[in-house]
């Protein structure tokens, strides 16, 4: 995998999504929980896609 700006943004989405998901779970905020889940999902999908493209 080549590290570039997109990789950093995807890692930011993943880490931020996990933190927002945890915060929403602990705080009982459904909106924060959903935003965290979406951000985490986008980060994971983006990193997996980038990793698969770099293998070929």
């Amino acid at each position: 995998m080549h590290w570039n700006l997109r990789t950093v943004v995807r890692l930011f989405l993943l880490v931020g999504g996990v933190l927002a998901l945890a915060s929403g779970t602990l705080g009982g905020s459904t909106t924060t929980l959903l935003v965290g889940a979406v951000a985490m999902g986008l980060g994971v999908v983006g990193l997996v896609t980038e990793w698969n493209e770099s293998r070929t």
Side-chain angles (χ1 to χ4, degrees):
M1 176 170 23
H2 301 289
W3 289 85
N4 54 26
L5 183 60
R6 282 186 187 175
T7 307
V8 174
V9 170
R10 289 170 176 157
L11 283 172
F12 176 77
L13 281 170
L14 178 60
V15 172
V18 168
L19 292 175
L21 190 67
S23 174
T25 302
L26 294 175
S29 173
T30 306
T31 305
T32 306
L33 184 89
L34 290 174
V35 168
V38 169
M40 188 180 69
L42 287 173
V44 167
V45 168
L47 285 172
V48 168
T49 302
E50 185 174 341
W51 184 61
N52 282 337
E53 287 177 356
S54 69
R55 287 190 331 170
T56 58

